[in-house]
Amino acid sequence: MKVFKLYCGVLIALCFANAAHAGPVLESIKKRDAVRCGVSSGVAGFSALGSDGQWRGLDVAVCRAVAAAVLGDAQKVQFTPLSSQQRFAALQAGQIDILSRNTTWTLSRDAGLNAHFAAITYYDGQGILMHKRFGVKSAKELKGAEICVQSGTTNEKNLSTYLGTQGITAKAIVYDNFEAAYKAFFSGRCQAFSTDVSALIGLKSSQSGKPDDYVVLPEVFSKEPLGPAVQRGDDEFFAIVKWVVFAMIEAEELGVGKANIDEALNSKNPAVQRLLGGAENLGKPLGLPRDWVVKILQQVGNYGEVFEANLGRQSPLKLERGLNALWTQGGLMYAPPLR
């Protein structure tokens, strides 16, 4: 009898385990045949709508990678541009499946806004952009300056804290949305603009008209770990988004990407075979097809390829990898073992 009860218990546990593979968000995505992704209304390198009607950027690529893994097609994404004030409300209301909008992972957001941050896709920090005509070389020379900043963001709080702790008598001029803030700066209503350094470089390149006339000051005064978030309550989908990002990082470390995926399928490297589903079925615990990583790499690419195309050497921004290099190259990008 004890053996029978144990057997029944194991069967029940297995049933629950199998059921866990199909959480409500994943089921909705499959039924809808599309991943709903919340992005910014336009931050160069992260999420911006091109003249051809196509969304591009690092944050966009994360959503496309999830679609490739779950639906087999990276194009099956519905993008919703959201302001800073709208983004978490949209996630909480279930209007989007993923918030992938250059959003900083903080305690209050993670624990207080019903959000789970899945991974860090970009390590950033806040800085200050100025016109070179002012001759300012350091943020400590900003006495009396007016600095444009967006409200409802970590940038607003960080700037206030930095100015106060450094004893800099500058004044923050707050705007409701990102576009209004940077347009006010470029029109001369503020002497400086403050946000994440990556966004400052993007604005200098795409919005200034004369990029060489502007300079990002050397001080970086915050930690801004950016990454995608999902709504709490669906551990299965949370795991999928998390491991999609990790798979892209691991693929770069192993030297496998969009450029050589066909050759890699025949690789004798056990780690490569495991990642691509040849030696093990890593999709099964996630409720995904065996070739989910292959689909990501074929249609989107590994982390390094995505970075270079949107932020790095192949992009107008020409950003160095810096902290976003692999851990084997002096950076912080590190994936837990995929096995």
Side-chain angles (χ1 to χ4, degrees):
M1 181 61 71
K2 288 182 179 179
V3 173
F4 178 73
K5 288 181 178 180
L6 178 62
Y7 176 72
C8 290
V10 171
L11 285 178
I12 292 171
L14 286 173
C15 288
F16 277 114
N18 288 332
H21 292 162
V25 175
L26 182 58
E27 285 298 308
S28 296
I29 288 172
K30 289 181 176 180
K31 185 176 181 180
R32 189 188 313 116
D33 200 32
V35 174
R36 299 174 305 175
C37 182
V39 294
S40 71
S41 55
V43 177
F46 289 90
S47 54
L49 187 62
S51 57
D52 58 357
Q54 292 294 312
W55 284 93
R56 293 183 179 86
L58 176 65
D59 291 338
V60 169
V62 169
C63 292
R64 292 203 186 282
V66 172
V70 172
L71 300 172
D73 188 344
Q75 296 303 311
K76 291 185 176 181
V77 184
Q78 297 172 359
F79 293 103
T80 301
L82 298 167
S83 69
S84 295
Q85 293 83 356
Q86 294 170 329
R87 53 185 166 178
F88 285 103
L91 184 63
Q92 291 167 343
Q95 297 170 356
I96 55 175
D97 304 313
I98 307 172
L99 176 63
S100 188
R101 189 200 173 281
N102 59 304
T103 298
T104 303
W105 185 348
T106 69
L107 184 152
S108 59
R109 289 172 173 176
D110 190 272
L113 293 178
N114 198 33
H116 262 320
F117 282 82
I120 297 171
T121 53
Y122 191 89
Y123 290 90
D124 211 343
Q126 189 169 339
I128 294 174
L129 179 69
M130 291 197 73
H131 197 287
K132 289 181 180 178
R133 70 173 179 271
F134 294 110
V136 173
K137 304 296 183 183
S138 167
K140 295 180 181 179
E141 301 173 20
L142 290 173
K143 181 180 179 180
E146 292 184 332
I147 306 174
C148 287
V149 68
Q150 184 183 359
S151 66
T153 63
T154 57
N155 297 147
E156 181 184 5
K157 294 180 180 179
N158 292 337
L159 179 62
S160 176
T161 299
Y162 179 70
L163 295 177
T165 57
Q166 296 297 313
I168 300 171
T169 56
K171 181 182 179 181
I173 307 298
V174 180
Y175 289 85
D176 287 340
N177 62 70
F178 185 70
E179 185 176 6
Y182 74 70
K183 284 187 174 180
F185 164 67
F186 285 120
S187 67
R189 277 176 271 173
C190 306
Q191 290 79 49
F193 179 69
S194 185
T195 188
D196 297 347
V197 171
S198 62
L200 293 178
I201 294 173
L203 289 171
K204 186 164 77 81
S205 173
S206 65
Q207 300 295 328
S208 69
K210 295 182 177 180
D212 291 340
D213 288 350
Y214 293 84
V215 60
V216 178
L217 300 182
E219 290 84 0
V220 177
F221 49 87
S222 73
K223 294 182 292 185
E224 305 296 330
L226 311 180
V230 299
Q231 189 179 30
R232 286 178 180 261
D234 191 327
D235 289 344
E236 291 72 41
F237 188 62
F238 172 53
I240 287 172
V241 177
K242 176 168 47 180
W243 287 102
V244 162
V245 173
F246 290 152
M248 295 171 74
I249 296 171
E250 179 79 357
E252 183 188 5
E253 183 176 339
L254 292 173
V256 182
K258 195 172 186 177
N260 66 347
I261 182 62
D262 292 335
E263 294 86 346
L265 288 170
N266 299 314
S267 172
K268 302 300 182 182
N269 185 329
V272 172
Q273 278 299 305
R274 181 166 57 244
L275 179 69
L276 301 182
E280 295 179 32
N281 185 357
L282 296 179
K284 186 175 182 180
L286 296 170
L288 296 177
R290 191 182 188 108
D291 64 348
W292 64 285
V293 178
V294 175
K295 296 292 187 185
I296 293 171
L297 298 180
Q298 286 175 333
Q299 299 177 46
V300 181
N302 65 36
Y303 178 82
E305 290 173 318
V306 169
F307 184 99
E308 294 300 337
N310 294 287
L311 297 164
R313 290 166 294 183
Q314 298 169 27
S315 79
L317 304 186
K318 309 297 181 187
L319 292 179
E320 298 294 328
R321 288 289 293 269
L323 295 177
N324 299 290
L326 294 176
W327 68 286
T328 54
Q329 299 170 8
L332 298 177
M333 282 299 166
Y334 185 112
L338 275 82
R339 57 173 180 262

